[in-house]
Amino acid sequence: MTNVQDQTSGVLRRSGRFFGAQNDLPNRVKTHLFILCPNNSGSTYLERVIAECEQVWSLQREGQHIFGFSGPTSRKTNTSLAWNAKPETAELFSDAANYPSWESTKKAWYFQATAKSPNAVVFLTKSPPFLLIPQILQDNFDNTKFIFMVRNPYAVAEGIGRRRPEMAPDRQSCLKLAADHIVACMKSQRDNIRRYPDNSIFFRYEDMCQSPEETADNIRTLIPELSDLAFDDIITVKNYRQHLHNFNDEQIARLSDSDIACLNQTFQREKSVFEHFGYEIIAS
């Protein structure tokens, strides 16, 4: 990215965006918006779309990976894309004691945030493990809002298995770990939706892809400042520039019968959580 000098204000900007470091975000930000969503479920696209709104301060990376973040991260704990697969790792990310200084985290986030307008009033971030700590976030940030989202578990599992084969000694073990992780995340999300009805909205990845304008309306209802939110832009996601598109069919088609049979060893036992979110068990 290139740095340019704004001709009217003299404020340093990066590619048309203003730096939080040069603005009084502690007094400017009025709403803290967190996207709480399992990894590999479309949250990066959603975050990038919302970050294009005039009233939004956002980060270039997940909040957990910003320099100065005070807490556990999925990279440093070697939990990668399956941080909710085992009780001990879930506890690591759930324990408030493992986040020693939200004030220092807030300063780091504000310092490194950028926005299209220096007068933006909404701060946005996401980190998949934050799915486990909405109450901790609500206790430490003013006017907290949540967007809860889930995605078809088979598509999520394919993404995890493709991107992180080193998580386990073989593919079947990797998919078993992914299945345990996904089910645990869906259960956590079900609880989140029930516990925070007044300051959140929920939709599925599939709903966002099928009905983007309705999804945008729902988000604007939660946060009216996002009046310019639109899903019709080309967004860079993981080094690819793309329009909003449902990749479920392509990803699920990559799963072999043995892959699906492996996943179903876990998924079949959890039909109730599948049914809760409107997903079906695929026959292998």
Side-chain angles (χ1 to χ4, degrees):
M1 292 186 177
T2 58
N3 294 335
V4 298
Q5 199 77 16
D6 185 80
Q7 297 297 317
T8 58
S9 65
V11 174
L12 190 66
R13 302 168 67 186
R14 174 178 291 174
S15 298
R17 298 180 72 89
F18 292 86
F19 285 96
Q22 294 183 308
N23 289 275
D24 186 14
L25 267 64
N27 290 314
R28 193 156 290 170
V29 171
K30 306 303 179 186
T31 299
H32 294 88
L33 174 59
F34 294 92
I35 298 173
L36 301 188
C37 175
N39 45 278
N40 298 79
S41 297
S43 61
T44 299
Y45 180 90
L46 178 60
E47 180 189 38
R48 299 287 166 81
V49 168
I50 296 175
E52 290 299 308
C53 293
E54 192 80 9
Q55 289 295 317
V56 173
W57 293 98
S58 65
L59 301 167
Q60 288 186 294
R61 295 178 296 281
E62 293 178 3
Q64 65 169 333
H65 300 317
I66 293 295
F67 179 77
F69 172 70
S70 178
T73 74
S74 56
R75 288 177 185 169
K76 291 183 179 179
T77 57
N78 198 34
T79 54
S80 190
L81 303 178
W83 37 267
N84 206 15
K86 300 177 180 179
E88 58 268 29
T89 55
E91 178 63 25
L92 172 69
F93 288 99
S94 301
D95 190 346
N98 293 328
Y99 301 87
S101 179
W102 283 106
E103 284 306 310
S104 62
T105 289
K106 193 180 300 182
K107 289 178 182 177
W109 285 353
Y110 284 175
F111 189 87
Q112 296 170 71
T114 65
K116 286 186 171 182
S117 167
N119 299 314
V121 296
V122 177
F123 178 84
L124 165 72
T125 192
K126 65 106 174 177
S127 293
F130 288 179
L131 176 73
L132 302 178
I133 59 166
Q135 187 60 54
I136 295 174
L137 295 172
Q138 185 166 277
D139 290 343
N140 288 277
F141 292 87
D142 295 333
N143 194 26
T144 305
K145 306 289 185 181
F146 300 122
I147 293 177
F148 299 129
M149 185 167 68
V150 296
R151 184 185 181 190
N152 185 293
Y154 292 94
V156 177
E158 190 281 329
I160 293 174
R162 174 165 39 88
R163 291 185 56 210
R164 287 291 185 271
E166 70 273 18
M167 289 194 311
D170 56 74
R171 180 168 176 81
Q172 297 298 294
S173 298
C174 179
L175 290 176
K176 175 62 168 61
L177 196 66
D180 290 342
H181 169 70
I182 295 163
V183 166
C185 286
M186 292 174 71
K187 289 180 176 179
S188 297
Q189 197 72 300
R190 182 177 58 187
D191 291 341
N192 289 340
I193 295 165
R194 182 168 56 245
R195 291 173 180 170
Y196 303 93
D198 298 329
N199 60 330
S200 73
I201 58 169
F202 163 74
F203 49 84
R204 305 181 309 170
Y205 166 84
E206 295 80 15
D207 302 327
M208 177 177 70
C209 293
Q210 182 175 343
S211 305
E213 188 51 46
E214 180 180 346
T215 301
D217 284 342
N218 291 335
I219 295 173
R220 287 190 288 261
T221 298
L222 180 70
I223 304 178
E225 292 86 352
L226 306 185
S227 58
D228 54 339
L229 176 63
F231 285 91
D232 54 1
D233 292 331
I234 298 177
I235 301 295
T236 300
V237 179
K238 298 173 183 175
N239 299 320
Y240 294 96
R241 289 181 58 76
Q242 62 186 51
H243 285 289
L244 178 61
H245 173 74
N246 187 340
F247 288 96
N248 282 358
D249 288 345
E250 294 100 307
Q251 291 189 236
I252 294 173
R254 297 190 190 112
L255 295 171
S256 67
D257 284 346
S258 61
D259 289 339
I260 292 174
C262 177
L263 293 170
N264 282 349
Q265 291 178 28
T266 299
F267 291 167
Q268 287 279 7
R269 297 195 303 268
E270 304 293 347
K271 284 186 177 181
S272 62
V273 74
F274 270 62
E275 292 171 354
H276 179 83
F277 288 111
Y279 296 119
E280 297 181 351
I281 301 296
I282 298 175
S284 59

